[in-house]
Amino acid sequence: MDDAQNVTLPTIAMLGAGSMGRAILSGLLAPGVQVAGIRVTNRSAARAATLAGAPGVTAYATETRADANRLAVEGAQVVLVAVKPAMVRDLLAEISDSLAPGTVVVSVAAGVTAATMESLLPDSISVVRAMPNTPAVVGKAVTGVSAGSRTEPEDLSLVRTLFETVGEVVEVPESQLDALSTISGSGPAYVFLLIEALTEAAVQKGFTPAQAATLVNGTFLGAAELLVSSGEEPAELRRRVTSPNGTTERAIAVLAEADLPALFARATDAALARARALAAG
């Protein structure tokens, strides 16, 4: 999110404060974001005490208050469910009768469908599924959001605004959310794998690990920033680096033999099959 942009959000309850929950919380606490109130629940009392140190945040620990989740959601307009997928059903059953009519429940748990969540909540509750990725930690997430059957346009707009505090948002039908997870959700791992491989190639050519990291990490970062700032297509930027009969052209020819488009198609197909298997239970 642009720090110069002013964003106003209603009271938000965040159930679960793992790495993704904390990343989203950092976005809500960013300059220019005004939230009516933030309630966070976590199992650990020690972690809750740490979270409560942030301005505007009230934190509860389930290990010391059995009603922590119900207390957090009372009066909240948005409830963000950030627990592990296996815990979602029990959590929704627990808070169901504490939700005010019109509350928007947002889940970042993979594999738990909107229909499943709706079946566990009153008819007056709107459900949205969201799939952020790990760059949310540095405010550079790409988040897919999908509406449930009871979601009004203003509900989806509110959720979009929430996730724009940690990056960009793409609205997709729920039928595409698993496919989205294989691209943006798993995507950082693909990038890190490429960085690992190129770093190892640099070490093999005699550079120290520190030098290799500087060369490769800086190149990936610079290339990504060039892509964003130039507005050009990646294929065009690649052509500009690849002089005819030059060194880069020889390297690209070797990579082309591996048929990277087909390789990535197979990889993302495998991830999609696994996502569907997990969703089926």
Side-chain angles (χ1 to χ4, degrees), residues 20 22 29 41 51 59 73 110 124 127 158 166 211 226 233 251 279-280:
M20 186 56 69
R22 293 194 304 275
L29 296 173
T41 65
L51 296 170
V73 305
S124 62
V127 166
L158 175 58
V166 291
Q211 289 172 327
L226 176 60
E233 294 294 323

mmCIF file of all heavy atoms in Angstrom, residues 20 22 29 41 51 59 73 110 124 127 158 166 211 226 233 251 279-280:
data_model
loop_
_atom_site.group_PDB
_atom_site.id
_atom_site.type_symbol
_atom_site.label_atom_id
_atom_site.label_comp_id
_atom_site.label_asym_id
_atom_site.label_seq_id
_atom_site.Cartn_x
_atom_site.Cartn_y
_atom_site.Cartn_z
ATOM 1 N N MET A 20 1.378 -15.535 8.772
ATOM 2 C CA MET A 20 0.536 -14.782 7.858
ATOM 3 C C MET A 20 -0.320 -13.781 8.618
ATOM 4 O O MET A 20 -0.496 -12.629 8.190
ATOM 5 C CB MET A 20 -0.346 -15.719 7.033
ATOM 6 C CG MET A 20 -1.157 -15.015 5.957
ATOM 7 S SD MET A 20 -0.123 -14.058 4.803
ATOM 8 C CE MET A 20 0.713 -15.383 3.931
ATOM 9 N N ARG A 22 0.380 -12.289 11.401
ATOM 10 C CA ARG A 22 1.230 -11.176 11.828
ATOM 11 C C ARG A 22 1.590 -10.273 10.651
ATOM 12 O O ARG A 22 1.711 -9.054 10.808
ATOM 13 C CB ARG A 22 2.495 -11.695 12.515
ATOM 14 C CG ARG A 22 2.210 -12.380 13.847
ATOM 15 C CD ARG A 22 3.488 -12.569 14.668
ATOM 16 N NE ARG A 22 4.518 -13.308 13.967
ATOM 17 C CZ ARG A 22 4.601 -14.632 13.925
ATOM 18 N NH1 ARG A 22 3.692 -15.376 14.538
ATOM 19 N NH2 ARG A 22 5.588 -15.226 13.289
ATOM 20 N N LEU A 29 -1.313 -1.926 10.682
ATOM 21 C CA LEU A 29 -0.648 -0.960 11.558
ATOM 22 C C LEU A 29 0.240 0.020 10.781
ATOM 23 O O LEU A 29 0.921 0.851 11.381
ATOM 24 C CB LEU A 29 0.208 -1.698 12.597
ATOM 25 C CG LEU A 29 -0.563 -2.588 13.582
ATOM 26 C CD1 LEU A 29 0.407 -3.387 14.445
ATOM 27 C CD2 LEU A 29 -1.503 -1.765 14.461
ATOM 28 N N THR A 41 -6.476 -12.921 18.593
ATOM 29 C CA THR A 41 -6.401 -14.054 19.518
ATOM 30 C C THR A 41 -5.251 -14.962 19.115
ATOM 31 O O THR A 41 -4.907 -15.081 17.941
ATOM 32 C CB THR A 41 -7.698 -14.873 19.545
ATOM 33 O OG1 THR A 41 -7.908 -15.497 18.270
ATOM 34 C CG2 THR A 41 -8.891 -14.015 19.908
ATOM 35 N N LEU A 51 1.710 -9.031 21.221
ATOM 36 C CA LEU A 51 0.823 -8.413 20.239
ATOM 37 C C LEU A 51 0.093 -7.214 20.822
ATOM 38 O O LEU A 51 -0.148 -6.218 20.138
ATOM 39 C CB LEU A 51 -0.191 -9.445 19.736
ATOM 40 C CG LEU A 51 0.384 -10.632 18.959
ATOM 41 C CD1 LEU A 51 -0.677 -11.689 18.734
ATOM 42 C CD2 LEU A 51 0.958 -10.162 17.625
ATOM 43 N N ALA A 59 -5.267 -7.977 22.561
ATOM 44 C CA ALA A 59 -4.932 -9.377 22.304
ATOM 45 C C ALA A 59 -5.425 -10.259 23.436
ATOM 46 O O ALA A 59 -5.359 -9.884 24.605
ATOM 47 C CB ALA A 59 -3.428 -9.544 22.120
ATOM 48 N N VAL A 73 -14.641 -11.486 18.606
ATOM 49 C CA VAL A 73 -15.500 -11.239 17.448
ATOM 50 C C VAL A 73 -16.731 -10.418 17.771
ATOM 51 O O VAL A 73 -17.402 -9.916 16.857
ATOM 52 C CB VAL A 73 -15.928 -12.569 16.778
ATOM 53 C CG1 VAL A 73 -14.714 -13.399 16.414
ATOM 54 C CG2 VAL A 73 -16.894 -13.360 17.648
ATOM 55 N N ALA A 110 -6.341 -22.592 3.345
ATOM 56 C CA ALA A 110 -6.476 -23.319 2.081
ATOM 57 C C ALA A 110 -7.370 -24.531 2.267
ATOM 58 O O ALA A 110 -7.379 -25.166 3.322
ATOM 59 C CB ALA A 110 -5.100 -23.762 1.594
ATOM 60 N N SER A 124 -26.996 -14.602 7.973
ATOM 61 C CA SER A 124 -26.715 -13.162 7.913
ATOM 62 C C SER A 124 -25.219 -12.853 7.789
ATOM 63 O O SER A 124 -24.829 -11.688 7.685
ATOM 64 C CB SER A 124 -27.256 -12.474 9.170
ATOM 65 O OG SER A 124 -26.597 -12.987 10.336
ATOM 66 N N VAL A 127 -19.280 -14.545 3.735
ATOM 67 C CA VAL A 127 -18.022 -15.287 3.760
ATOM 68 C C VAL A 127 -17.181 -14.932 2.536
ATOM 69 O O VAL A 127 -17.692 -14.888 1.409
ATOM 70 C CB VAL A 127 -18.289 -16.806 3.788
ATOM 71 C CG1 VAL A 127 -17.024 -17.582 3.459
ATOM 72 C CG2 VAL A 127 -18.832 -17.224 5.144
ATOM 73 N N LEU A 158 -14.633 -4.175 0.863
ATOM 74 C CA LEU A 158 -14.017 -4.012 2.182
ATOM 75 C C LEU A 158 -12.835 -4.966 2.347
ATOM 76 O O LEU A 158 -11.766 -4.578 2.839
ATOM 77 C CB LEU A 158 -15.064 -4.269 3.265
ATOM 78 C CG LEU A 158 -14.594 -4.262 4.718
ATOM 79 C CD1 LEU A 158 -13.950 -2.929 5.078
ATOM 80 C CD2 LEU A 158 -15.769 -4.576 5.647
ATOM 81 N N VAL A 166 -1.321 -4.824 2.441
ATOM 82 C CA VAL A 166 -0.103 -5.631 2.362
ATOM 83 C C VAL A 166 0.287 -5.975 0.928
ATOM 84 O O VAL A 166 1.131 -6.839 0.697
ATOM 85 C CB VAL A 166 -0.216 -6.941 3.190
ATOM 86 C CG1 VAL A 166 -0.239 -6.634 4.662
ATOM 87 C CG2 VAL A 166 -1.432 -7.766 2.777
ATOM 88 N N GLN A 211 29.692 -13.378 -2.201
ATOM 89 C CA GLN A 211 29.693 -12.705 -3.493
ATOM 90 C C GLN A 211 28.566 -13.225 -4.388
ATOM 91 O O GLN A 211 27.887 -12.452 -5.063
ATOM 92 C CB GLN A 211 31.043 -12.920 -4.191
ATOM 93 C CG GLN A 211 32.200 -12.175 -3.564
ATOM 94 C CD GLN A 211 33.533 -12.578 -4.183
ATOM 95 O OE1 GLN A 211 33.721 -13.741 -4.586
ATOM 96 N NE2 GLN A 211 34.458 -11.629 -4.268
ATOM 97 N N LEU A 226 12.969 -3.381 -12.481
ATOM 98 C CA LEU A 226 12.982 -2.890 -13.859
ATOM 99 C C LEU A 226 11.689 -3.273 -14.564
ATOM 100 O O LEU A 226 11.095 -2.463 -15.297
ATOM 101 C CB LEU A 226 14.194 -3.450 -14.608
ATOM 102 C CG LEU A 226 14.291 -3.110 -16.101
ATOM 103 C CD1 LEU A 226 14.352 -1.603 -16.308
ATOM 104 C CD2 LEU A 226 15.510 -3.790 -16.716
ATOM 105 N N GLU A 233 6.814 -5.604 -21.398
ATOM 106 C CA GLU A 233 6.583 -7.039 -21.239
ATOM 107 C C GLU A 233 7.919 -7.725 -20.916
ATOM 108 O O GLU A 233 8.975 -7.294 -21.423
ATOM 109 C CB GLU A 233 6.006 -7.651 -22.518
ATOM 110 C CG GLU A 233 4.607 -7.164 -22.865
ATOM 111 C CD GLU A 233 3.589 -7.619 -21.843
ATOM 112 O OE1 GLU A 233 3.716 -8.761 -21.328
ATOM 113 O OE2 GLU A 233 2.670 -6.841 -21.544
ATOM 114 N N ALA A 251 23.251 -18.788 -23.477
ATOM 115 C CA ALA A 251 22.665 -19.286 -22.231
ATOM 116 C C ALA A 251 21.164 -19.519 -22.387
ATOM 117 O O ALA A 251 20.624 -20.546 -21.946
ATOM 118 C CB ALA A 251 22.927 -18.289 -21.102
ATOM 119 N N ALA A 279 -8.446 -30.333 -0.507
ATOM 120 C CA ALA A 279 -9.803 -29.784 -0.341
ATOM 121 C C ALA A 279 -10.842 -30.880 -0.220
ATOM 122 O O ALA A 279 -11.847 -30.724 0.491
ATOM 123 C CB ALA A 279 -10.138 -28.873 -1.533
ATOM 124 N N ALA A 280 -10.581 -32.013 -0.896
ATOM 125 C CA ALA A 280 -11.531 -33.123 -0.844
ATOM 126 C C ALA A 280 -11.452 -33.888 0.464
ATOM 127 O O ALA A 280 -12.284 -34.737 0.762
ATOM 128 C CB ALA A 280 -11.276 -34.068 -2.015
#
